[in-house]
Amino acid sequence: MKRATIIIILVLLNSIAFAQRIIENPEFEVTNSGITHISKIELSKEATRIHIHNKFIPKWWMSFEKDIFIQLDNNVKLNVLDIEGAKFDEKITMPESGEKTIVLIFPPINEGVKKIDYNNVVFGISLVEGAKKSKKSSEIPGYVSKWIDNELKKEANKPLANLSSKEFFNESTGRLIGYIKGYDVRLGFKTGIMYTHNDITREDYPVVVEIHPDGRFEANIPLTNPSYSYMVFKKSPVKFYLEPKQTLAMVLDWDEFLYVDRMRNTYNYLKNITFIGPLAKTNEDLNKFDDKPFDYKIFSKKMKTISPQAFKEEETVEYKKNLKNLEIYLKNNSISDKAKILLKNKIDLEHANHLFDFVSARDYYAKEDPANPILKIPVENDYFNFLQNLDLNDQSLLALNEFSTFVNRFEFAKPILVYPKPNEKNTSRFIPEKTFEQYLELEKIEITENDKALRESNKNKAFKSAAEVMEFQKQFSETYKNASKAYSKKYVEPFISIPKPEKVTMEKWQLRDSIVKNVFHLEKNLVYEVIKIRALDFDIKRTNTENAHAYWNELKKDITHPFLKKEGERMVNKQFPINTFQNNSLADNLNSKVNISATTLQNKLPEGKATDIFKNIIATHKGKILFIDFWATTCGPCVANIKQMKEKRKEHKDNKDFEFVFITDESLSPLEPYDKFVKEQELENIYRLASDDYNYLRQLFKFNGIPRYVVIDKKGEVINDNFPMHNFSYLLNGILEKYN
């Protein structure tokens, strides 16, 4: 009896102990949130109470969804039951302290469970009281150090002596390697991405940075010149400077990623980086400089409230402050010459970009608010005299990420956007042997009264686009359409010649040369030559081989830099190979009435992981032409175009020849707005990919920005990897005719 009593007491004591078990600040293995901290876990037979102590930016908000869960170490998943201190799916505004605790209530956990994961955010949370967290080594593992050393030894070339070197332009690759301390595959990302581009030719070629399970990462970066840019891991930008034929190693710390996550409005780039290799010193010097982030919210307000001249005066004051900040930094630190030049040029370009941006959007805002007197103040030509303070022959400008914005704003600045007037020549008009009315009478074809009314209205109707013409023509009856085709085939087509390709002239550049000299008061310079090469691809798109090469032979007389000439030559030969002076693809297109911009040469996708991901997506659509839309709910133009195409999608629903396919990145299209938008727009064939997979598709189809449209034929090969979706109606029939 006594023994039985002791056993009962022990059982009760154990029960009470379990019911009251509290773990303060439980240890965990890894987390992917700098905001969410688990401060306490209360375990009982009735429930599991998890205290979430949130540290975030004061006055910012967060929320907790009803689908929160915990995963036990026996793979059992428990969904949340209730919440204390907030409501599900409602905004929680952070107090001035930036800290707030919420309690989430889950079902009870079996006593044998030792670890749990919280909502794919915090992993390996210990339920053992007094458990000691394994110390994260501040040292790089020996085998990682050895790997880095071996990779650096593979590169025998020395870095550039200086940024004015004749070797500055060099089409080659740079190699990026490194290690993330504290990385764990459970963090949910296996890649980073670098949005690489060629500023001379406008070509994009984003590069996936692969992360190994142990935290090592590597990538080969195609370059045309030194580049001070950035890559992105888990939405966090990592700045670095790299040169062609050089290898740069860096060591990152996952704890800093978490800090960036928490302080996202004030801490934009990782600073705690260890650089290794010949370029380490330059990178350290660049990384240590504390440049203040530009406030674009205040900037947007100024566009509507102050004049261009007033803004220019304010911006000049800020520019001088930034230069003073740099002067102090250079005085207090021993800085490499490359870093000095890049930091100064970066400040100069940012200043110029702010001035360009201020006036570039004024027309848009003026249409939105036509009564605003500030937006009616003209931009005088002398506003642009800041360009005279820049050394536009300095090739090192191209090493900076800010140059891409600068050259784009320069080439589309209002004063320089002048075009030659179209030639007005008297052309003889072909008159068919019989009119369409005579043909109808001869063939005894009866058309409807509606057809007659439409035909009459067409005489005085002005169309804004080819798409509008096609929409108008759809209103005619099938009898009328068939008669019109037959009439054209018999009385029109045999007697007219195929239109000649557009001839490209130098007149546009003669006008712009004058603007550069007389309005901007600039001599011809390297940046202006870059602008001419950047326009080359567009200028020759609608011509043929003979005209394209004739135009290039004239244009290159204005290009003095040998590398720019080489790039221009490559762009012309890319579209129109020099080995033939007969544009067969153009002739084929015209003969079959396929617009030249509808198609490119078919391309087989290269073997590799990216193609495997893509082929897995399109496998279920085999046997159809696919119009693929890379988009996101957070992309305004993407959303607008999908809305505009809604009726068009309905019109072609269940078409046997082609389908629309929509692909997005889960990080760019949050689930709730994504589901709502997909339902509202009645989207089918939708794919919301993990960011890693989406990064590979960016690399495969070479696009940095979205929306991006790709057309795939029935065999899974590329028809066009940059399709003009705004011309869908106009180009569709030609594509179906050629690729069906």
Side-chain angles (χ1 to χ4, degrees), residues 164-197:
S164 60
S165 168
K166 291 181 179 179
E167 305 299 318
F168 180 87
F169 291 104
N170 187 333
E171 272 189 304
S172 187
T173 58
R175 182 152 169 76
L176 187 66
I177 61 173
Y179 176 67
I180 306 174
K181 289 191 290 185
Y183 174 79
D184 192 297
V185 291
R186 291 174 292 180
L187 292 172
F189 69 103
K190 299 176 183 177
T191 67
I193 191 162
M194 184 175 178
Y195 301 106
T196 318
H197 50 264

Side-chain angles (χ1 to χ4, degrees), residues 180-222:
I180 306 174
K181 289 191 290 185
Y183 174 79
D184 192 297
V185 291
R186 291 174 292 180
L187 292 172
F189 69 103
K190 299 176 183 177
T191 67
I193 191 162
M194 184 175 178
Y195 301 106
T196 318
H197 50 264
N198 183 336
D199 285 329
I200 298 171
T201 62
R202 296 180 185 276
E203 294 169 292
D204 289 340
Y205 30 86
V207 176
V208 171
V209 183
E210 294 190 52
I211 306 174
H212 299 287
D214 61 1
R216 290 178 301 126
F217 60 84
E218 57 185 320
N220 293 320
I221 314 293

Side-chain angles (χ1 to χ4, degrees), residues 99-115:
E99 299 189 29
K100 186 176 180 65
T101 299
I102 305 298
V103 179
L104 297 173
I105 303 169
F106 296 88
I109 295 174
N110 186 289
E111 191 173 2
V113 174
K114 303 300 181 186
K115 289 182 182 180

Side-chain angles (χ1 to χ4, degrees), residues 501-502 540-548 575-577 580-591 596 601:
E502 181 181 336
I540 64 176
K541 237 172 196 174
R542 292 169 180 81
T543 189
N544 64 6
T545 300
E546 187 173 2
N547 286 339
Q575 277 203 52
F576 302 103
T580 175
F581 264 70
Q582 179 185 4
N583 183 18
N584 292 324
S585 61
L586 176 64
D588 290 343
N589 285 339
L590 290 171
N591 283 326
I596 186 169
L601 294 177

Side-chain angles (χ1 to χ4, degrees), residues 605 613-623 626 628 661 663 687 712-713 715-717:
L605 295 170
I613 292 168
F614 184 66
K615 285 187 174 179
N616 188 50
I617 291 172
I618 67 173
T620 55
H621 308 286
K622 195 173 181 180
L626 303 179
I628 295 172
V661 175
I663 303 176
Y687 300 88
I712 303 294
D713 71 9
K715 296 182 291 184
E717 295 177 0

